[in-house]
Amino acid sequence: MDGHSNNFRHEKCQSYLLFHYETKLGDGFRCFLYFLALAYCFIGLSAITGRFFRSMENVVKHTRTVKERDPCTNAMVVKYKKVWNYAIADIALLAFGTSFPQISLATIDAIRNLGNLYAGGLGPGTLVGSAAFDLFPIHAVCVVVPKAGERKKISDIGVWLVELVWSFWAYIWLYIILEVWTPNVITLAEASLTVLQYGLLLMHAYAQDKRWPYVSLPLTRSERPEDWVPPETGQYRDGNRSHDKYSEMHEIDDKDRNQDIVDIFSIHRNTGHVYEHLPVTYIAESSSEQSHEDMTPEKDNLLSTWKQQFNDAVMLESPDQRKLNNTFLRLAKAFWRLLLAPWRLLFAFVPPYQIAHGWIAFIFSLVFISGIAYIVTKLTDLISCVTGISAYVIAFTALAAGTSWPDLVASKIAAERQLTADSAIANITCSNSVNIYIGIGVPWLIDTLYNFFAYKKPLRIENAAGLSFSLLVFFATSVCCIGVLVFRRLTLGAELGGPRVWAWVTCIFFMLLWLIFVVLSSLRVSGII
């Protein structure tokens, strides 16, 4: 193919995925096989996302011990405080984690493109399309998820406004560097500034959450409930030395094995601290004795947990499925577990997420996600080669929807479980910011750095006009989306939920906005309009 968009192929595609024999197959059958493989990769992506979220939950749950003297009773007080700030966790872990498939895909596309003066279009197309999928279909799902009549609103308007402004600015900034500052060219300075703005977003969100003077909006947060998620079972036992993160490991693992989707939003379960009043002489003893007592069972539990991961991977029927009376339903679930078995067996090599507060499993999960993203890029190239459909069109549609599945799952869980709409909507707005500042910024920074030192030339964008047009369409439709959310807040008192009729009307409207974006962007990139 040449660099232009083609709607029809006149030459047979000679590229292949595994075997050269693929080129002898008919184009229709090859396309079917590649789309089937692409769908299976998305299933694998969904499977590893479950382990990724469990590890992320453990990372955010990590607490630090603070010992203070109570001025009233003169007793030593031990406080277990969260290490992670909630606003930073939403942006740096939740939004970054759910956007990592798109980030990996764009970064791999950039690395494959090293040495080329023109940037690859697969990454930017996927990220812009993913932003539209995040904003419209995911909002559409979240609006109808709450129970009939239940209303869920944003409690911290200040933080949400900061995230929203940075999200809108991200796409305005992208249009500026594509069409205004240096048209059709990305310089090293532009790529560096794009990545730098992610750090500024983190600092601004933290400042707003802490209500720093002069840099935060003067909005109160009095409506935020004490428990963002209704508590289920206590993780700490009050009044004794049982602050043991491994004491209920098997019980938690058994519960997780019976769940298809992990509830990652227990990271917001309480905003207070756990207090433990101890005698002065007990402080030193508790830390040493507890660490000694936990050492041996911790290793045994971790090994048995890791072993159980492999047992679960090859198990075709869970205990819950055996209780089903419907034979057809049992067979359907068994077939689904059989379909997932290769992925589950592969991902069983991810260490248990109880190790090192979840960081080891977190890193392993990112490696597996990157590997799947690489296969997805190869399949997309082959589909474009066989069908003649522009890679941008595939990126706007199939890739954007498939790689945004973790965003959909995360926001849906938040809309169901949380008492407010904060994280459900924050995940959407923050993911859009991460898509630009990291997902596009880092790949462009890699390519511009290479071109600067190798050729002393900037990076050129081959289809900048099509990408800019998509940005304008996205910006116009996103204003309509945010306007509807504001209107619902003013009239119904909540962004999510409410009367079923109006919730479904909002859902359909958001889906229509997404269709408008996809159709117009695809027609523009294909050269039809």
Side-chain angles (χ1 to χ4, degrees), residues 395-417:
F396 282 139
T397 53
L399 284 187
T403 56
S404 294
W405 184 255
D407 289 314
L408 176 61
V409 173
S411 292
K412 178 181 177 292
I413 294 174
E416 287 175 334
R417 292 275 293 120

Short mmCIF file of all heavy atoms in Angstrom, two decimals, residues 395-417:
data_model
loop_
_atom_site.label_atom_id
_atom_site.label_comp_id
_atom_site.label_asym_id
_atom_site.label_seq_id
_atom_site.Cartn_x
_atom_site.Cartn_y
_atom_site.Cartn_z
N ALA A 395 -8.60 1.75 13.67
CA ALA A 395 -8.22 2.27 14.98
C ALA A 395 -9.38 2.99 15.66
O ALA A 395 -9.60 2.85 16.87
CB ALA A 395 -7.02 3.22 14.84
N PHE A 396 -10.14 3.79 14.89
CA PHE A 396 -11.26 4.52 15.45
C PHE A 396 -12.36 3.59 15.98
O PHE A 396 -13.07 3.95 16.92
CB PHE A 396 -11.89 5.44 14.39
CG PHE A 396 -11.11 6.70 14.14
CD1 PHE A 396 -10.95 7.17 12.85
CD2 PHE A 396 -10.54 7.39 15.18
CE1 PHE A 396 -10.22 8.33 12.61
CE2 PHE A 396 -9.81 8.55 14.95
CZ PHE A 396 -9.65 9.02 13.66
N THR A 397 -12.50 2.43 15.37
CA THR A 397 -13.64 1.57 15.66
C THR A 397 -13.23 0.35 16.49
O THR A 397 -13.39 0.33 17.71
CB THR A 397 -14.32 1.15 14.36
OG1 THR A 397 -13.32 0.57 13.47
CG2 THR A 397 -14.93 2.34 13.66
N ALA A 398 -12.72 -0.68 15.82
CA ALA A 398 -12.45 -1.95 16.49
C ALA A 398 -11.39 -1.83 17.58
O ALA A 398 -11.59 -2.29 18.71
CB ALA A 398 -12.02 -3.00 15.45
N LEU A 399 -10.25 -1.21 17.26
CA LEU A 399 -9.18 -1.11 18.25
C LEU A 399 -9.59 -0.24 19.44
O LEU A 399 -9.30 -0.56 20.59
CB LEU A 399 -7.92 -0.54 17.61
CG LEU A 399 -7.10 -1.48 16.73
CD1 LEU A 399 -5.80 -0.81 16.31
CD2 LEU A 399 -6.81 -2.76 17.46
N ALA A 400 -10.25 0.89 19.15
CA ALA A 400 -10.65 1.79 20.23
C ALA A 400 -11.61 1.09 21.19
O ALA A 400 -11.48 1.19 22.41
CB ALA A 400 -11.30 3.04 19.65
N ALA A 401 -12.60 0.37 20.64
CA ALA A 401 -13.57 -0.32 21.49
C ALA A 401 -12.92 -1.47 22.26
O ALA A 401 -13.17 -1.64 23.46
CB ALA A 401 -14.73 -0.84 20.64
N GLY A 402 -12.07 -2.23 21.60
CA GLY A 402 -11.45 -3.38 22.26
C GLY A 402 -10.48 -2.99 23.36
O GLY A 402 -10.50 -3.56 24.45
N THR A 403 -9.64 -2.00 23.09
CA THR A 403 -8.66 -1.59 24.10
C THR A 403 -9.28 -0.75 25.20
O THR A 403 -8.66 -0.56 26.26
CB THR A 403 -7.51 -0.79 23.45
OG1 THR A 403 -8.05 0.33 22.72
CG2 THR A 403 -6.72 -1.66 22.49
N SER A 404 -10.48 -0.23 25.00
CA SER A 404 -11.15 0.57 26.03
C SER A 404 -12.03 -0.29 26.94
O SER A 404 -12.71 0.25 27.81
CB SER A 404 -12.01 1.67 25.39
OG SER A 404 -11.22 2.61 24.71
N TRP A 405 -12.02 -1.60 26.72
CA TRP A 405 -12.86 -2.46 27.55
C TRP A 405 -12.53 -2.33 29.04
O TRP A 405 -13.43 -2.30 29.89
CB TRP A 405 -12.72 -3.90 27.08
CG TRP A 405 -13.61 -4.84 27.82
CD1 TRP A 405 -13.26 -5.73 28.79
CD2 TRP A 405 -15.02 -4.98 27.65
NE1 TRP A 405 -14.35 -6.42 29.23
CE2 TRP A 405 -15.45 -5.98 28.55
CE3 TRP A 405 -15.96 -4.36 26.83
CZ2 TRP A 405 -16.78 -6.37 28.65
CZ3 TRP A 405 -17.29 -4.75 26.93
CH2 TRP A 405 -17.68 -5.74 27.83
N PRO A 406 -11.24 -2.27 29.46
CA PRO A 406 -10.96 -2.07 30.88
C PRO A 406 -11.57 -0.79 31.43
O PRO A 406 -12.02 -0.76 32.59
CB PRO A 406 -9.42 -2.02 30.94
CG PRO A 406 -8.99 -2.80 29.75
CD PRO A 406 -10.00 -2.50 28.68
N ASP A 407 -11.58 0.29 30.64
CA ASP A 407 -12.23 1.53 31.08
C ASP A 407 -13.72 1.30 31.34
O ASP A 407 -14.27 1.79 32.34
CB ASP A 407 -12.06 2.63 30.02
CG ASP A 407 -10.63 3.13 29.94
OD1 ASP A 407 -10.05 3.39 31.00
OD2 ASP A 407 -10.11 3.25 28.82
N LEU A 408 -14.37 0.57 30.44
CA LEU A 408 -15.79 0.31 30.58
C LEU A 408 -16.08 -0.50 31.84
O LEU A 408 -16.99 -0.19 32.61
CB LEU A 408 -16.31 -0.43 29.34
CG LEU A 408 -17.77 -0.89 29.36
CD1 LEU A 408 -18.69 0.30 29.51
CD2 LEU A 408 -18.11 -1.68 28.11
N VAL A 409 -15.27 -1.56 32.06
CA VAL A 409 -15.47 -2.39 33.24
C VAL A 409 -15.26 -1.59 34.52
O VAL A 409 -16.06 -1.67 35.47
CB VAL A 409 -14.50 -3.60 33.20
CG1 VAL A 409 -14.56 -4.38 34.50
CG2 VAL A 409 -14.85 -4.51 32.03
N ALA A 410 -14.19 -0.79 34.55
CA ALA A 410 -13.87 -0.02 35.75
C ALA A 410 -14.96 0.98 36.08
O ALA A 410 -15.41 1.09 37.23
CB ALA A 410 -12.53 0.70 35.57
N SER A 411 -15.41 1.73 35.10
CA SER A 411 -16.44 2.75 35.35
C SER A 411 -17.78 2.10 35.69
O SER A 411 -18.54 2.63 36.52
CB SER A 411 -16.60 3.66 34.12
OG SER A 411 -15.45 4.46 33.95
N LYS A 412 -18.09 0.98 35.08
CA LYS A 412 -19.35 0.28 35.38
C LYS A 412 -19.36 -0.20 36.83
O LYS A 412 -20.36 -0.04 37.54
CB LYS A 412 -19.54 -0.90 34.44
CG LYS A 412 -20.81 -1.71 34.71
CD LYS A 412 -20.92 -2.88 33.76
CE LYS A 412 -22.15 -3.73 34.08
NZ LYS A 412 -21.98 -4.41 35.39
N ILE A 413 -18.24 -0.77 37.29
CA ILE A 413 -18.16 -1.22 38.68
C ILE A 413 -18.32 -0.04 39.62
O ILE A 413 -19.01 -0.12 40.64
CB ILE A 413 -16.82 -1.93 38.93
CG1 ILE A 413 -16.75 -3.23 38.12
CG2 ILE A 413 -16.64 -2.24 40.41
CD1 ILE A 413 -15.41 -3.92 38.19
N ALA A 414 -17.69 1.08 39.28
CA ALA A 414 -17.78 2.26 40.14
C ALA A 414 -19.21 2.77 40.20
O ALA A 414 -19.71 3.14 41.27
CB ALA A 414 -16.86 3.36 39.60
N ALA A 415 -19.90 2.80 39.07
CA ALA A 415 -21.28 3.28 39.05
C ALA A 415 -22.21 2.36 39.83
O ALA A 415 -23.20 2.82 40.42
CB ALA A 415 -21.77 3.41 37.60
N GLU A 416 -21.90 1.07 39.86
CA GLU A 416 -22.72 0.13 40.60
C GLU A 416 -22.44 0.18 42.09
O GLU A 416 -23.36 0.19 42.91
CB GLU A 416 -22.46 -1.31 40.10
CG GLU A 416 -23.04 -1.61 38.74
CD GLU A 416 -22.65 -3.00 38.27
OE1 GLU A 416 -21.58 -3.49 38.70
OE2 GLU A 416 -23.40 -3.57 37.47
N ARG A 417 -21.17 0.20 42.48
CA ARG A 417 -20.78 -0.02 43.86
C ARG A 417 -20.63 1.25 44.68
O ARG A 417 -20.91 1.25 45.87
CB ARG A 417 -19.46 -0.80 43.90
CG ARG A 417 -19.58 -2.22 43.42
CD ARG A 417 -20.03 -3.15 44.55
NE ARG A 417 -19.00 -3.25 45.55
CZ ARG A 417 -19.15 -2.90 46.82
NH1 ARG A 417 -20.29 -2.39 47.23
NH2 ARG A 417 -18.18 -3.03 47.70
#
